[in-house]
Amino acid sequence: MEQFEAGTLAGAGSFRCETCDFAVALRERDPMPSCSNCGGQSFRRASMFGETGTTPAPPTDLAKPEWLAEAREALMAEGDYLAFEQDDRVRVVPLQEGWTRIGRSLSAHVRLDDPTVSRRHALLYRADQEGAKILDDRSLNGVFRNGEAIELSTLGDGDVISVGRFSIHFISLTGDRSPREQTVVSG
């Protein structure tokens, strides 16, 4: 079996960590990364059609980040949002009715350019009367809701969606977001 060390140009395709079996997908000239699940340095080429007996590794950190409460407070309009950190910045994406594509592809609405994310990783469907649902779009590493692997799942306010190494927080705001939530100090 062909093995690749970190830092080598392995070519395009799917690879699995020799230590924990975590999957990564690489483009033609990408260097082999360290495993984002366990830090392993050795990989083997994996079938693009999946392997029997392998399951994606569940996310290990579901703690609410410090920035989440501040991001939630900054939102003024009712609606559903995705909030996550990328490149040391917090991103908050308002969800429209219909489909939202999440993945590494240039055509994704929420683009996560990382080898742990499939080009077409997940689909999120939102309808005003039905709420929001997340669907695994045949991803290599799976989609997790609050640490549980899912194929299709309804989302609720506060749920954490894990896509590759990213933790995406689902925020659903309802009701009045007027100045009543602001602290008023009178003298």
Side-chain angles (χ1 to χ4, degrees):
M1 186 174 289
E2 193 175 10
Q3 289 188 353
F4 299 92
E5 297 299 320
T8 64
L9 293 174
S14 301
F15 299 85
R16 291 207 172 264
C17 175
E18 287 287 326
T19 305
C20 70
D21 205 38
F22 193 73
V24 297
L26 300 176
R27 294 179 293 238
E28 189 62 38
R29 305 290 291 159
D30 285 347
M32 190 61 76
S34 295
C35 177
S36 61
N37 188 52
C38 75
Q41 298 290 313
S42 183
F43 293 81
R44 70 183 184 292
R45 191 170 292 280
S47 168
M48 64 186 276
F49 301 108
E51 298 176 8
T52 58
T54 61
T55 56
T60 55
D61 183 18
L62 294 176
K64 292 186 178 174
E66 293 177 18
W67 53 261
L68 186 58
E70 187 176 331
R72 179 184 282 275
E73 281 300 312
L75 299 171
M76 296 306 286
E78 275 191 35
D80 294 334
Y81 300 85
L82 297 178
F84 57 97
E85 269 187 293
Q86 183 178 32
D87 301 326
D88 297 324
R89 294 180 53 205
V90 174
R91 291 191 54 203
V92 178
V93 178
L95 296 173
Q96 304 298 319
E97 209 166 302
W99 293 99
T100 299
R101 289 185 302 274
I102 302 170
R104 202 178 68 230
S105 169
L106 291 174
S107 66
H109 297 107
V110 177
R111 185 165 186 260
L112 305 169
D113 191 18
D114 187 84
T116 62
V117 178
S118 297
R119 283 187 302 276
R120 295 175 43 179
H121 203 106
L123 290 166
L124 192 145
Y125 181 76
R126 181 183 177 276
D128 282 337
Q129 302 303 318
E130 300 172 32
K133 296 179 181 178
I134 188 81
L135 169 73
D136 187 338
D137 194 13
R138 300 169 300 202
S139 68
L140 192 58
N141 285 327
V143 175
F144 297 82
R145 185 183 131 275
N146 300 330
E148 297 290 325
I150 59 98
E151 290 294 321
L152 173 67
S153 182
T154 301
L155 293 173
D157 184 47
D159 282 346
V160 179
I161 305 161
S162 299
V163 173
R165 68 173 185 83
F166 293 89
S167 292
I168 302 171
H169 300 268
F170 180 74
I171 300 171
S172 185
L173 296 180
T174 57
D176 184 20
R177 300 287 296 175
S178 64
R180 71 172 170 73
E181 293 187 7
Q182 298 174 358
T183 304
V184 178
V185 178
S186 58

